[in-house]
Amino acid sequence: MIRRSGTGWSNRTPVIVAGLGAALALATVAAAADPPTSAGQTAATSTSTGTVLTWTLPTGTGRTGNAATGAGNAATDTPASFGSGPAGRAPVGSRPMVRRFPAAGTPSWQLSLIVQYLPSTNQTQYVAVIAGARQAWVFGGSNLAGHGVPEVAHRINGQWGFPLLPAGLYSWIAAASAQSPADIWAVTHLGGFLLHWNGSNWQTEPRGGWRASVQFTGINAVSARSVWLFGAGSRGHPGGGTWHWDGTSWSPISGIAGGIRQASPVSATDMWAIGGIGGTMNALLRFSGSSWAHVTPAALAGFRYSDVVALAARNVWVAGLVAGQPKLAHYDGRGWTVRKMPGTVAATGICRDGRGGIWVIANSGKAPSELRDLSAAGRWTTATVSSSSADEILACALVPGTQAAWGAGKSAALNVKGSAAAVYGFGNVP
């Protein structure tokens, strides 16, 4: 499963600046950055969108650093005056950004990676994450507010890398799902591009009969011969609808399943989903192996759904608003129990916490940025992401068999008009 995305820093936390201007951008960035010292080092890496400058910070708290006007962490940003360079170049002549880390012992999510794609006004984010026992993938795009391209980062053997994606892609990767480390599917928000990782490289897969102008919002690979693709519409773009891959071709799924936004499978014959019936997000649906049915439990009356996660046949969670108030509801195989949720914002992401409870993502856009944890006993606690609202986790995933987790999201950018893609870790992430 996707979208599911520990305390303490690993030995090094890389801050990455990526430039579309390849070698020229790299030279500009290197000239603007502080020279490498014992506090960090730089390294260049090639990606599908240019050359990457890596700035590595040492362990410790209260650290500062500089990578072409920025430095890494996730907790407080000291406002800075940033320059504005031409497209494809980093800003020059500007002050470093200073960030302070949470105090030792504070339950918190810690930055593992920042990637700034240029030009520096880009709204860059990672929006999906897959976590394995020894590796992790994060997916997003270099410019979610403009004409960007999909981006992906892969962590293996304790290091982040940037596998090449096929040429000709645009938009961003909206969702991804893995059957195994050598069988991962991803879909772009626009363009209708389907991507598949075969264990060694990313390839485009044949698309179905949908137009490139439609949008997709979810994908679930439930077996080698069963992949579900979902595309709910929005004001700006029509939805691509629901499609099923049987290992040979894509078939459209009509009826009440046609407006599904997101799904979460227990197995190939048991899947929960949320979507639109009559143009709203008030529908909860369930797949029984042969057809989709609209589920309308009395306990969930008035729910406007924002997320669904099926952790097991008797452990399903939905989130949303009821009369404007955020709620969670849990299905134990027999019935639904509704729980109050702190705050004023509906949850948009849920993942296991490895202790019998769940992490709940509900970003308010206000400082501080936090993730809430609901324990198995029903107690709410919070863990800090940052004291700045510019730093947010948008998706989380538990590292199997541990209490560590990965979070995909965004961070304050090197230019105040944009954002940088970021990866956060909780606990002893591999």
Side-chain angles (χ1 to χ4, degrees):
M1 240 340 263
I2 15 159
R3 296 176 53 296
R4 321 297 176 218
S5 341
T7 2
W9 279 79
S10 58
N11 289 335
R12 291 182 174 179
T13 302
V15 178
I16 294 187
V17 181
L20 299 178
L24 178 59
L26 177 64
T28 306
V29 170
D34 288 343
T37 67
S38 59
Q41 59 185 5
T42 59
T45 306
S46 294
T47 73
S48 58
T49 55
T51 303
V52 173
L53 179 68
T54 305
W55 185 268
T56 304
L57 297 176
T59 54
T61 61
R63 75 204 73 179
T64 62
N66 178 10
T69 74
N73 139 357
T76 36
D77 293 339
T78 299
S81 299
F82 295 97
S84 57
R89 298 190 184 187
V92 295
S94 50
R95 295 190 292 147
M97 180 187 301
V98 179
R99 293 172 172 177
R100 297 179 179 84
F101 294 79
T106 302
S108 60
W109 288 76
Q110 305 286 0
L111 263 179
S112 177
L113 176 72
I114 303 176
V115 181
Q116 177 70 66
Y117 299 95
L118 301 180
S120 56
T121 55
N122 278 354
Q123 296 292 335
T124 301
Q125 299 176 6
Y126 292 133
V127 298
V129 58
I130 295 172
R134 297 182 180 179
Q135 58 181 303
W137 290 88
V138 290
F139 307 84
S142 64
N143 191 1
L144 275 66
H147 299 287
V149 294
E151 303 291 351
V152 60
H154 181 208
R155 184 174 176 89
I156 189 167
N157 297 324
Q159 300 292 326
W160 287 103
F162 303 88
L164 292 176
L165 294 176
L169 306 179
Y170 61 89
S171 187
W172 66 88
I173 293 175
S177 181
Q179 262 295 299
S180 73
D183 186 6
I184 304 174
W185 288 78
V187 64
T188 59
H189 182 65
L190 299 176
F193 298 107
L194 288 163
L195 304 172
H196 183 252
W197 172 258
N198 60 13
S200 58
N201 56 69
W202 285 96
Q203 300 174 337
T204 53
E205 292 290 331
R207 71 175 71 196
W210 57 81
R211 302 188 307 275
S213 59
V214 299
Q215 72 178 15
F216 284 102
T217 51
I219 192 168
N220 293 96
V222 295
S223 73
R225 294 183 176 273
S226 181
V227 180
W228 289 87
L229 180 60
F230 305 100
S234 66
R235 290 182 180 179
H237 300 280
T242 297
W243 297 76
H244 182 254
W245 169 261
D246 62 6
T248 303
S249 61
W250 290 97
S251 299
I253 307 298
S254 57
I256 62 172
I260 289 176
R261 173 188 163 195
Q262 170 212 337
S264 184
V266 175
S267 67
T269 58
D270 187 7
M271 189 181 310
W272 294 83
I274 55 176
I277 291 180
T280 68
M281 289 300 297
N282 62 358
L284 177 65
L285 298 96
R286 190 175 187 182
F287 180 68
S288 61
S290 59
S291 62
W292 289 90
H294 186 194
V295 181
T296 58
L300 303 186
F303 248 86
R304 182 173 176 83
Y305 299 99
S306 58
D307 195 31
V308 59
V309 177
L311 302 177
R314 297 182 178 182
N315 189 6
V316 181
W317 291 89
V318 295
L321 294 172
V322 179
Q325 299 299 312
K327 303 282 187 179
L328 287 179
H330 181 253
Y331 178 70
D332 63 2
R334 298 183 299 273
W336 290 89
T337 302
V338 179
R339 299 170 180 261
K340 293 182 179 180
M341 194 180 132
T344 60
V345 179
T348 56
I350 298 171
C351 64
R352 299 179 188 268
D353 66 4
R355 302 180 296 277
I358 55 173
W359 286 109
V360 179
I361 299 171
N363 293 305
S364 66
K366 299 178 181 179
S369 177
E370 299 172 327
L371 253 64
R372 294 187 172 94
D373 182 85
L374 179 62
S375 72
R379 292 189 297 270
W380 286 99
T381 57
T382 60
T384 301
V385 175
S386 170
S387 63
S388 169
S389 61
D391 307 321
E392 291 183 342
I393 292 176
L394 304 174
C396 61
L398 179 72
V399 177
T402 75
Q403 295 181 12
W406 288 108
K410 63 180 182 177
S411 180
L414 305 183
N415 185 297
V416 293
K417 294 181 180 179
S419 65
V423 183
Y424 299 83
F426 188 94
N428 189 21
V429 288

